[in-house]
Amino acid sequence: MGPKLAVAHRWAFICLAVFLALAVFVTVEPTDSFDRTLKEVFRPDDVWGPWQLVFGNVVDGAGPPVALAALAVAGAVAAVRRKSWWPVIYVGCLAVVTVFLTQVSKAILGRPDPHNDVGLFNGSYPSGHMVILLSCLGGILLVWRQRPPLWAWWLVLVAELTMGFSLLLLSMHWFTDVVGGGLLAVPIVTLAASPRLLDPVHRINRPAAVDSVGSPT
């Protein structure tokens, strides 16, 4: 295990621990007044204005259906280029794990969103938009290159922060929901970056050479 991977694993464990601790806090509601104060900062009096119109496009344009579709396309393109089913299997497993962990967390906690709506698998914590976007963008990078460049990860971070800001402007989630979504996605992406999982994905299957029966004289 290289030093960079070891550091990533430490951060993954830290993020998972903070995610679980925050889940306990939002369940017993010590963060309630903090979240309500920030809700008024980002969307005072729940008014829908020009900023909500602009950033609503971010939520729709990079929401879970779009992110999952982009991940699927990336896996399909990689499968065709490498003549292997492994990229498709990889992105499929990543999508299933991400959605499963997100929905189970929502179901267990059942936290109402800022408009007091909650369903069986539609709790507010963690934000599914945050978890799925970061996991899918990370998966796309890892399917593209086994060791993506640092600048590509910075672009992913910018996209994730923009989504979080947009969700807060639209009051779709509490601030702690947004943070929790990002925290849950980090260990998922770290696991997805494991060389044991990525080696088959980046293996190129080449057709076996056909031996000539004879050569011209």
Side-chain angles (χ1 to χ4, degrees), residues 109-128:
L109 297 173
R111 187 189 196 193
D113 67 18
H115 298 100
N116 209 34
D117 292 330
V118 64
L120 179 60
F121 290 99
N122 198 32
S124 191
Y125 184 92
S127 165

Side-chain angles (χ1 to χ4, degrees), residues 10-214:
R10 284 197 291 270
W11 275 109
F13 282 119
I14 291 171
C15 289
L16 182 59
V18 176
F19 167 79
L20 294 174
L22 192 57
V24 174
F25 286 137
V26 301
T27 301
V28 296
E29 296 187 355
T31 63
D32 188 62
S33 59
F34 172 75
D35 276 324
R36 292 186 183 280
T37 299
L38 285 182
K39 176 179 178 293
E40 284 300 309
V41 170
F42 284 98
R43 189 177 172 183
D45 300 322
D46 219 23
V47 173
W48 185 272
W51 287 111
Q52 283 71 30
L53 288 173
V54 172
F55 284 91
N57 295 319
V58 175
V59 175
D60 293 336
V66 177
L68 290 168
L71 179 63
V73 170
V77 171
V80 171
R81 291 183 62 186
R82 296 172 193 145
K83 298 179 175 60
S84 169
W85 284 103
W86 278 111
V88 174
I89 296 172
Y90 173 82
V91 299
C93 290
L94 177 59
V96 169
V97 170
T98 300
V99 173
F100 176 78
L101 291 178
T102 302
Q103 295 305 110
V104 167
S105 300
K106 288 175 173 287
I108 291 175
L109 297 173
R111 187 189 196 193
D113 67 18
H115 298 100
N116 209 34
D117 292 330
V118 64
L120 179 60
F121 290 99
N122 198 32
S124 191
Y125 184 92
S127 165
H129 284 74
M130 296 292 287
V131 183
I132 293 174
L133 180 62
L134 182 53
S135 294
C136 288
L137 290 179
I140 291 170
L141 287 187
L142 292 168
V143 165
W144 169 47
R145 288 180 61 176
Q146 190 165 359
R147 294 179 179 83
L150 182 59
W151 63 263
W153 288 112
W154 279 111
L155 290 179
V156 169
L157 178 60
V158 170
E160 181 79 346
L161 292 175
T162 303
M163 174 60 78
F165 182 71
S166 303
L167 292 170
L168 294 173
L169 278 179
L170 272 63
S171 293
M172 291 182 63
H173 280 284
W174 302 108
F175 180 81
T176 46
D177 300 336
V178 170
V179 173
L183 290 171
L184 179 58
V186 171
I188 296 175
V189 174
T190 302
L191 177 61
S194 170
R196 183 174 298 180
L197 297 177
L198 285 177
D199 284 345
V201 174
H202 288 272
R203 187 180 301 128
I204 298 176
N205 291 338
R206 300 185 184 279
V210 179
D211 293 333
S212 57
V213 177

